[in-house]
Amino acid sequence: MSKDDNVQPQQTFGFYDWEIIYSYTRADALRDGELVAAGPALLEQAGFRWPLAYTHSAFEGCINWTGTDSHTARTHEIRQARELVLLTAPNRAIRMHTNPDDNTLPFSVRVTPRTGHALEQQQVTLYAVFGPGDEGELVITVLFDLTEL
């Protein structure tokens, strides 16, 4: 028996001796625009200690706002204010959350639609998903729909 017989295979990402042929990281998704990082100053203002990003659809549907949107919706809103409102809702839900084993937290927020079809704010349910980032750190991702996972 040689000394190499006692060597255990090195574990990589939970798989032994498997060759990884493709990976798409959170950093890749942020760079590609599939995820949009929340502004650090707004995260701090809303009381978050961890990085948070929105899926593209959550960002476009609930946060992004332009001058054209103000004209179409017949109301003036500021993107940073919309984002702060959105960040406040999951922060409140996190504080009330009682199941430490559940990494997905639904929360509701009222937003003015960008389409201009409704003049009143509409209640939208979003999901905050807690998980490891590229380096194993805690990160939060806000989704419009759980199918975006």
Side-chain angles (χ1 to χ4, degrees), residues 117-129:
H117 296 300
L119 297 177
E120 295 181 8
Q121 290 187 332
Q122 296 176 338
Q123 186 165 324
V124 176
T125 299
L126 298 164
Y127 300 88
V129 178

Side-chain angles (χ1 to χ4, degrees), residues 31-132:
R31 192 172 27 260
D32 294 346
E34 291 300 317
L35 291 178
V36 179
L42 287 175
L43 280 174
E44 185 177 334
Q45 188 176 350
F48 281 94
R49 296 179 292 180
W50 307 283
L52 183 144
Y54 313 99
T55 60
H56 179 77
S57 62
F59 178 78
E60 287 297 324
C62 297
I63 296 171
N64 201 17
W65 193 264
T66 67
T68 303
D69 297 323
S70 292
H71 178 71
T72 304
R74 296 182 205 99
T75 185
H76 179 73
E77 295 202 9
I78 299 170
R79 180 188 168 279
Q80 287 83 2
R82 287 172 65 94
E83 185 171 7
L84 187 56
V85 166
L86 191 133
L87 288 171
T88 302
N91 193 351
R92 190 172 34 243
I94 289 167
R95 293 176 191 279
M96 295 175 17
H97 192 59
T98 58
N99 184 355
D101 296 326
D102 189 3
N103 73 331
T104 303
L105 179 64
F107 65 94
S108 295
V109 65
R110 298 188 66 77
V111 297
T112 302
R114 294 179 68 193
T115 61
H117 296 300
L119 297 177
E120 295 181 8
Q121 290 187 332
Q122 296 176 338
Q123 186 165 324
V124 176
T125 299
L126 298 164
Y127 300 88
V129 178
F130 306 87

Side-chain angles (χ1 to χ4, degrees), residues 21-34:
I21 58 171
Y22 179 78
S23 70
Y24 189 71
T25 65
R26 184 176 181 88
D28 293 334
L30 287 163
R31 192 172 27 260
D32 294 346
E34 291 300 317

